[in-house]
mmCIF file of all heavy atoms in Angstrom:
data_model
loop_
_atom_site.group_PDB
_atom_site.id
_atom_site.type_symbol
_atom_site.label_atom_id
_atom_site.label_comp_id
_atom_site.label_asym_id
_atom_site.label_seq_id
_atom_site.Cartn_x
_atom_site.Cartn_y
_atom_site.Cartn_z
ATOM 1 N N SER A 2 40.046 15.616 36.132
ATOM 2 C CA SER A 2 40.789 16.784 35.659
ATOM 3 C C SER A 2 40.103 17.416 34.463
ATOM 4 O O SER A 2 39.261 16.806 33.830
ATOM 5 C CB SER A 2 42.219 16.367 35.284
ATOM 6 O OG SER A 2 42.183 15.595 34.105
ATOM 7 N N VAL A 15 31.924 13.501 18.934
ATOM 8 C CA VAL A 15 32.282 12.614 17.827
ATOM 9 C C VAL A 15 31.274 11.475 17.730
ATOM 10 O O VAL A 15 30.824 11.109 16.644
ATOM 11 C CB VAL A 15 33.730 12.082 18.000
ATOM 12 C CG1 VAL A 15 34.028 10.971 17.019
ATOM 13 C CG2 VAL A 15 34.728 13.218 17.831
ATOM 14 N N GLY A 16 30.892 10.922 18.865
ATOM 15 C CA GLY A 16 29.901 9.834 18.865
ATOM 16 C C GLY A 16 28.564 10.288 18.318
ATOM 17 O O GLY A 16 27.934 9.595 17.521
ATOM 18 N N VAL A 20 26.600 8.941 14.888
ATOM 19 C CA VAL A 20 25.225 8.431 14.869
ATOM 20 C C VAL A 20 24.422 9.145 13.786
ATOM 21 O O VAL A 20 23.734 8.522 12.990
ATOM 22 C CB VAL A 20 24.552 8.591 16.250
ATOM 23 C CG1 VAL A 20 23.061 8.338 16.163
ATOM 24 C CG2 VAL A 20 25.192 7.650 17.252
ATOM 25 N N THR A 44 -14.074 -2.057 4.619
ATOM 26 C CA THR A 44 -14.720 -2.963 5.572
ATOM 27 C C THR A 44 -14.294 -4.379 5.219
ATOM 28 O O THR A 44 -14.376 -4.786 4.056
ATOM 29 C CB THR A 44 -16.248 -2.844 5.507
ATOM 30 O OG1 THR A 44 -16.601 -1.488 5.851
ATOM 31 C CG2 THR A 44 -16.925 -3.791 6.486
ATOM 32 N N ILE A 45 -13.822 -5.109 6.221
ATOM 33 C CA ILE A 45 -13.415 -6.492 6.005
ATOM 34 C C ILE A 45 -14.292 -7.403 6.852
ATOM 35 O O ILE A 45 -14.695 -7.051 7.957
ATOM 36 C CB ILE A 45 -11.916 -6.709 6.302
ATOM 37 C CG1 ILE A 45 -11.555 -6.293 7.732
ATOM 38 C CG2 ILE A 45 -11.074 -5.937 5.310
ATOM 39 C CD1 ILE A 45 -10.104 -6.555 8.098
ATOM 40 N N PHE A 47 -14.409 -11.317 8.142
ATOM 41 C CA PHE A 47 -13.785 -12.629 8.292
ATOM 42 C C PHE A 47 -14.795 -13.730 8.616
ATOM 43 O O PHE A 47 -14.410 -14.865 8.881
ATOM 44 C CB PHE A 47 -12.726 -12.593 9.396
ATOM 45 C CG PHE A 47 -11.445 -11.922 8.992
ATOM 46 C CD1 PHE A 47 -11.150 -10.642 9.432
ATOM 47 C CD2 PHE A 47 -10.526 -12.571 8.185
ATOM 48 C CE1 PHE A 47 -9.963 -10.024 9.077
ATOM 49 C CE2 PHE A 47 -9.335 -11.961 7.815
ATOM 50 C CZ PHE A 47 -9.057 -10.682 8.268
ATOM 51 N N GLY A 49 -16.714 -16.799 8.711
ATOM 52 C CA GLY A 49 -16.597 -18.071 7.996
ATOM 53 C C GLY A 49 -15.279 -18.296 7.290
ATOM 54 O O GLY A 49 -15.075 -19.345 6.698
ATOM 55 N N SER A 52 -9.989 -18.990 11.134
ATOM 56 C CA SER A 52 -9.974 -20.215 11.929
ATOM 57 C C SER A 52 -9.936 -19.971 13.436
ATOM 58 O O SER A 52 -9.566 -20.853 14.192
ATOM 59 C CB SER A 52 -8.770 -21.068 11.517
ATOM 60 O OG SER A 52 -7.557 -20.387 11.800
ATOM 61 N N SER A 54 -12.242 -19.816 15.759
ATOM 62 C CA SER A 54 -13.051 -20.728 16.578
ATOM 63 C C SER A 54 -12.475 -22.130 16.613
ATOM 64 O O SER A 54 -12.696 -22.876 17.566
ATOM 65 C CB SER A 54 -14.487 -20.765 16.061
ATOM 66 O OG SER A 54 -14.517 -21.272 14.737
ATOM 67 N N ALA A 59 -5.926 -21.844 24.107
ATOM 68 C CA ALA A 59 -4.735 -21.776 24.936
ATOM 69 C C ALA A 59 -3.869 -20.607 24.488
ATOM 70 O O ALA A 59 -3.865 -20.240 23.309
ATOM 71 C CB ALA A 59 -3.941 -23.079 24.815
ATOM 72 N N THR A 67 -8.490 -15.303 5.566
ATOM 73 C CA THR A 67 -8.538 -14.254 4.547
ATOM 74 C C THR A 67 -9.926 -13.635 4.563
ATOM 75 O O THR A 67 -10.889 -14.249 5.019
ATOM 76 C CB THR A 67 -8.270 -14.805 3.131
ATOM 77 O OG1 THR A 67 -9.259 -15.778 2.821
ATOM 78 C CG2 THR A 67 -6.895 -15.409 3.026
ATOM 79 N N ALA A 73 -16.748 1.835 0.414
ATOM 80 C CA ALA A 73 -18.056 2.327 0.852
ATOM 81 C C ALA A 73 -19.188 1.955 -0.097
ATOM 82 O O ALA A 73 -20.342 1.870 0.315
ATOM 83 C CB ALA A 73 -18.008 3.838 1.041
ATOM 84 N N VAL A 81 -7.586 -9.355 2.411
ATOM 85 C CA VAL A 81 -6.810 -9.262 3.642
ATOM 86 C C VAL A 81 -6.401 -10.663 4.064
ATOM 87 O O VAL A 81 -7.224 -11.584 4.078
ATOM 88 C CB VAL A 81 -7.632 -8.615 4.777
ATOM 89 C CG1 VAL A 81 -6.804 -8.509 6.043
ATOM 90 C CG2 VAL A 81 -8.141 -7.260 4.360
ATOM 91 N N THR A 86 -2.191 -14.736 17.096
ATOM 92 C CA THR A 86 -1.803 -15.609 18.201
ATOM 93 C C THR A 86 -2.593 -15.187 19.431
ATOM 94 O O THR A 86 -2.624 -13.999 19.766
ATOM 95 C CB THR A 86 -0.296 -15.471 18.496
ATOM 96 O OG1 THR A 86 0.429 -15.769 17.303
ATOM 97 C CG2 THR A 86 0.135 -16.412 19.601
ATOM 98 N N LYS A 87 -3.212 -16.151 20.101
ATOM 99 C CA LYS A 87 -3.963 -15.850 21.323
ATOM 100 C C LYS A 87 -2.985 -15.511 22.446
ATOM 101 O O LYS A 87 -2.053 -16.261 22.710
ATOM 102 C CB LYS A 87 -4.843 -17.035 21.727
ATOM 103 C CG LYS A 87 -5.967 -17.297 20.745
ATOM 104 C CD LYS A 87 -6.844 -18.460 21.188
ATOM 105 C CE LYS A 87 -7.974 -18.668 20.193
ATOM 106 N NZ LYS A 87 -8.864 -19.771 20.614
ATOM 107 N N ALA A 89 -4.294 -13.740 25.564
ATOM 108 C CA ALA A 89 -5.016 -13.723 26.839
ATOM 109 C C ALA A 89 -6.370 -14.380 26.610
ATOM 110 O O ALA A 89 -7.006 -14.169 25.580
ATOM 111 C CB ALA A 89 -5.194 -12.296 27.342
ATOM 112 N N VAL A 92 -13.227 -16.178 30.241
ATOM 113 C CA VAL A 92 -14.452 -16.942 30.001
ATOM 114 C C VAL A 92 -15.180 -16.468 28.748
ATOM 115 O O VAL A 92 -15.622 -17.280 27.942
ATOM 116 C CB VAL A 92 -15.387 -16.858 31.228
ATOM 117 C CG1 VAL A 92 -16.711 -17.531 30.949
ATOM 118 C CG2 VAL A 92 -14.716 -17.467 32.444
ATOM 119 N N PHE A 98 -2.857 -11.128 19.275
ATOM 120 C CA PHE A 98 -1.953 -10.240 18.561
ATOM 121 C C PHE A 98 -1.993 -10.671 17.104
ATOM 122 O O PHE A 98 -1.710 -11.827 16.781
ATOM 123 C CB PHE A 98 -0.527 -10.335 19.105
ATOM 124 C CG PHE A 98 0.429 -9.465 18.335
ATOM 125 C CD1 PHE A 98 0.408 -8.086 18.497
ATOM 126 C CD2 PHE A 98 1.321 -10.014 17.444
ATOM 127 C CE1 PHE A 98 1.272 -7.275 17.778
ATOM 128 C CE2 PHE A 98 2.193 -9.207 16.720
ATOM 129 C CZ PHE A 98 2.164 -7.841 16.894
ATOM 130 N N CYS A 99 -2.377 -9.755 16.216
ATOM 131 C CA CYS A 99 -2.573 -10.098 14.809
ATOM 132 C C CYS A 99 -1.703 -9.241 13.893
ATOM 133 O O CYS A 99 -1.501 -8.057 14.136
ATOM 134 C CB CYS A 99 -4.034 -9.891 14.415
ATOM 135 S SG CYS A 99 -5.187 -10.947 15.323
ATOM 136 N N LEU A 103 -2.956 -6.261 3.740
ATOM 137 C CA LEU A 103 -4.066 -5.832 2.893
ATOM 138 C C LEU A 103 -3.503 -5.711 1.478
ATOM 139 O O LEU A 103 -2.663 -4.855 1.207
ATOM 140 C CB LEU A 103 -4.575 -4.488 3.412
ATOM 141 C CG LEU A 103 -5.811 -3.871 2.840
ATOM 142 C CD1 LEU A 103 -7.024 -4.746 3.095
ATOM 143 C CD2 LEU A 103 -6.032 -2.500 3.466
ATOM 144 N N PHE A 113 -0.135 -4.210 8.738
ATOM 145 C CA PHE A 113 -0.331 -3.611 10.053
ATOM 146 C C PHE A 113 -0.445 -4.699 11.105
ATOM 147 O O PHE A 113 -0.683 -5.867 10.792
ATOM 148 C CB PHE A 113 -1.566 -2.697 10.084
ATOM 149 C CG PHE A 113 -2.871 -3.376 9.791
ATOM 150 C CD1 PHE A 113 -3.660 -3.880 10.814
ATOM 151 C CD2 PHE A 113 -3.326 -3.491 8.482
ATOM 152 C CE1 PHE A 113 -4.881 -4.491 10.550
ATOM 153 C CE2 PHE A 113 -4.540 -4.096 8.202
ATOM 154 C CZ PHE A 113 -5.322 -4.598 9.241
ATOM 155 N N VAL A 116 -3.480 -5.438 18.512
ATOM 156 C CA VAL A 116 -3.931 -6.281 19.604
ATOM 157 C C VAL A 116 -5.453 -6.265 19.509
ATOM 158 O O VAL A 116 -6.081 -5.216 19.661
ATOM 159 C CB VAL A 116 -3.436 -5.756 20.965
ATOM 160 C CG1 VAL A 116 -4.015 -6.592 22.102
ATOM 161 C CG2 VAL A 116 -1.916 -5.755 21.000
ATOM 162 N N VAL A 117 -6.028 -7.421 19.210
ATOM 163 C CA VAL A 117 -7.449 -7.507 18.866
ATOM 164 C C VAL A 117 -8.244 -8.164 19.989
ATOM 165 O O VAL A 117 -8.000 -9.322 20.327
ATOM 166 C CB VAL A 117 -7.633 -8.304 17.549
ATOM 167 C CG1 VAL A 117 -9.100 -8.408 17.178
ATOM 168 C CG2 VAL A 117 -6.829 -7.662 16.428
ATOM 169 N N PRO A 122 -19.299 -14.151 20.606
ATOM 170 C CA PRO A 122 -20.331 -13.551 19.755
ATOM 171 C C PRO A 122 -21.727 -13.521 20.400
ATOM 172 O O PRO A 122 -22.548 -12.674 20.049
ATOM 173 C CB PRO A 122 -20.343 -14.449 18.518
ATOM 174 C CG PRO A 122 -19.062 -15.187 18.546
ATOM 175 C CD PRO A 122 -18.627 -15.260 19.971
ATOM 176 N N THR A 146 3.593 4.750 7.264
ATOM 177 C CA THR A 146 3.589 4.449 8.693
ATOM 178 C C THR A 146 2.401 5.173 9.300
ATOM 179 O O THR A 146 1.762 5.986 8.643
ATOM 180 C CB THR A 146 4.880 4.918 9.393
ATOM 181 O OG1 THR A 146 5.018 6.320 9.217
ATOM 182 C CG2 THR A 146 6.111 4.203 8.852
ATOM 183 N N GLY A 147 2.098 4.902 10.530
ATOM 184 C CA GLY A 147 1.007 5.585 11.211
ATOM 185 C C GLY A 147 0.103 4.599 11.903
ATOM 186 O O GLY A 147 0.521 3.512 12.298
#
Side-chain angles (χ1 to χ4, degrees):
S2 71
V15 169
V20 168
T44 299
I45 57 177
F47 284 104
S52 63
S54 63
T67 60
V81 181
T86 303
K87 293 181 179 181
V92 175
F98 178 74
C99 298
L103 187 63
F113 61 93
V116 175
V117 180
T146 59

